[in-house]
Amino acid sequence: MGEYSSGFPQMQEEQKIMDKEDIPIRTQRYSGFATDSTRWDDFRHRDDDIFICTPCKCGTTWTQALCALLIFKNPEHKKKPAMISPWVDAHLMPLESMNAMLASQNHRRFMKTHTPIDGINYYSASTYIVVYRDPRDVYFSLRNHIQNMNMEVQSEWLEEDVSESFRKWAVAPNVAGASELFTLSEMVHHYKSFLNFKHLPNIHFFHFSELKRDLLGQLQRLAGVLNIEIEADLLERFVIAAGFESMKDKASQYVPASGMQVWKNETKFFNRGDAYHRSELKQKDLEIYEKAISQLIGKDEIEWLEHGHNI
């Protein structure tokens, strides 16, 4: 898949400027069975755009819901965030249709991507919301996610035996330029790509566990990041609207591709949202995981990726 450079002269000129300023540039094309990062070639941004940047199963849908609440300032807005907040890299919507929809939107736009930062466009005036989750939780969420789909998904690590499957997921190597591997190494690669630019004022790190522990506080923080003023009583209503059970009860509104027969059970998309199934893993499984992740990133980075807190 190799290195990628846009053919657009204007973007090439912008990249020369970016090189001098130590900010992200697109150098890698990422592609998988569902995505291709070349879809960013024709993307036309607005300065106030919001990009939700996550590995799979790290709180993407939840973050889209939170952004929708803040943008529309109504806990009963009835909009389907996943439908108006497209997955830029995915083939789910034809490129021309996606760009036409985004061009027609008169509200503040928010989009999602699972692509590392070296595969997407960077705009210094826009906002990047980066969300992560304990990788062990991600494994079980991925397992449920794949098993709940009405299509065959490439998942070489997925075995009926949870212990064997978890070990394969933990030790599988990352492949440069590949997407939808759904492995620990792919997730950590995404994390490292954004960590390289954590100093930038428009890249903001959030953690799934912190959203669970203090949704009101994190929603207040998100509102501040987006420069959106919300009254305290309305924020409290947003917390109720964005709660796990509330979103599960309104699965048809919040589930991506709702009504398109993608899921065997749309309600099961919101499966648990709690800590990983410790009873299903053996001590040896966790030791293999700990060794694998320690070979990918340092102790402090592991601590944050698993638990959150300040970065």
Side-chain angles (χ1 to χ4, degrees):
M1 296 173 197
E3 291 191 347
Y4 171 77
S5 293
S6 170
F8 290 95
Q10 182 178 356
M11 184 173 289
Q12 289 177 337
E13 187 60 33
E14 289 178 356
Q15 288 175 345
K16 292 178 182 178
I17 296 172
M18 289 177 182
D19 282 336
K20 299 176 182 178
E21 299 181 359
D22 189 28
I23 58 179
I25 60 173
R26 282 175 65 194
T27 57
Q28 179 69 57
R29 175 185 176 183
Y30 290 88
S31 62
F33 71 90
T35 61
D36 189 334
S37 63
T38 61
R39 286 170 61 94
W40 286 90
D41 287 359
D42 297 320
F43 183 83
R44 295 293 177 262
H45 84 288
R46 299 174 186 171
D47 282 351
D48 65 352
D49 279 342
I50 302 165
F51 299 103
I52 298 167
C53 307
T54 67
C56 293
K57 308 311 296 176
C58 285
T60 318
T61 300
W62 199 2
T63 308
Q64 287 174 293
L66 297 177
C67 287
L69 287 167
L70 293 172
I71 289 168
F72 299 114
K73 298 186 177 183
N74 181 358
E76 304 295 335
H77 58 72
K78 305 298 182 183
K79 293 178 174 61
K80 296 184 175 183
M83 300 303 290
I84 62 174
S85 169
W87 182 2
V88 177
D89 323 73
H91 301 299
L92 296 174
M93 183 182 293
L95 183 60
E96 296 77 8
S97 299
M98 182 189 76
N99 287 331
M101 179 188 72
L102 289 171
S104 69
Q105 291 181 350
N106 55 20
H107 58 77
R108 189 171 179 185
R109 307 187 310 181
F110 56 115
M111 287 114 331
K112 85 170 191 179
T113 178
H114 296 314
T115 301
I117 200 169
D118 61 349
I120 67 176
N121 295 353
Y122 173 78
Y123 309 103
S124 59
S126 297
T127 303
Y128 294 76
I129 306 300
V130 190
V131 190
Y132 293 99
R133 185 181 186 183
D134 187 325
R136 296 161 294 187
D137 293 346
V138 170
Y139 164 78
F140 283 102
S141 187
L142 280 168
R143 187 177 178 88
N144 171 75
H145 186 77
I146 294 171
Q147 292 175 336
N148 191 38
M149 297 184 77
N150 281 320
M151 63 182 72
E152 186 174 346
V153 177
Q154 299 173 1
S155 51
E156 296 180 0
W157 52 264
L158 186 59
E159 304 281 351
E160 184 176 349
D161 181 85
V162 172
S163 182
E164 181 181 358
S165 176
F166 181 81
R167 295 182 185 197
K168 285 186 175 182
W169 166 84
V171 302
N174 191 49
V175 179
S179 295
E180 291 88 62
L181 297 175
F182 307 125
T183 59
L184 172 63
S185 60
E186 181 184 43
M187 178 183 178
V188 173
H189 171 67
H190 186 287
Y191 177 45
K192 289 167 65 176
S193 80
F194 279 90
L195 275 179
N196 289 333
F197 300 97
K198 66 181 181 180
H199 60 280
L200 294 175
N202 63 330
I203 295 179
H204 304 272
F205 284 73
F206 286 76
H207 199 280
F208 192 94
S209 66
E210 292 182 342
L211 290 168
K212 285 177 55 183
R213 282 194 297 265
D214 181 17
L215 183 54
L216 177 59
Q218 291 299 299
L219 192 52
Q220 289 174 319
R221 180 184 166 218
L222 181 60
V225 164
L226 300 179
N227 293 313
I228 297 175
E229 294 186 6
I230 302 290
E231 295 179 358
D233 61 337
L234 191 54
L235 272 175
E236 292 177 358
R237 293 174 62 195
F238 288 173
V239 169
I240 296 173
F244 181 81
E245 292 302 328
S246 178
M247 290 184 64
K248 188 172 184 177
D249 289 342
K250 296 180 179 180
S252 62
Q253 178 180 1
Y254 289 108
V255 170
S258 177
M260 298 173 65
Q261 307 306 312
V262 172
W263 312 105
K264 296 174 184 176
N265 184 328
E266 291 192 350
T267 301
K268 196 178 177 183
F269 180 89
F270 301 101
N271 187 41
R272 289 172 64 104
D274 56 1
Y276 70 97
H277 309 210
R278 298 173 189 269
S279 62
E280 297 186 49
L281 295 175
K282 302 172 183 177
Q283 181 60 35
K284 185 62 176 179
D285 302 335
L286 294 174
E287 290 173 0
I288 289 173
Y289 159 80
E290 289 164 3
K291 180 179 179 181
I293 196 169
S294 66
Q295 292 174 341
L296 297 172
I297 49 174
K299 182 178 178 180
D300 291 343
E301 287 77 18
I302 294 173
E303 176 70 19
W304 188 87
L305 189 59
E306 291 181 344
H307 306 293
H309 308 302
N310 295 331
I311 189 168

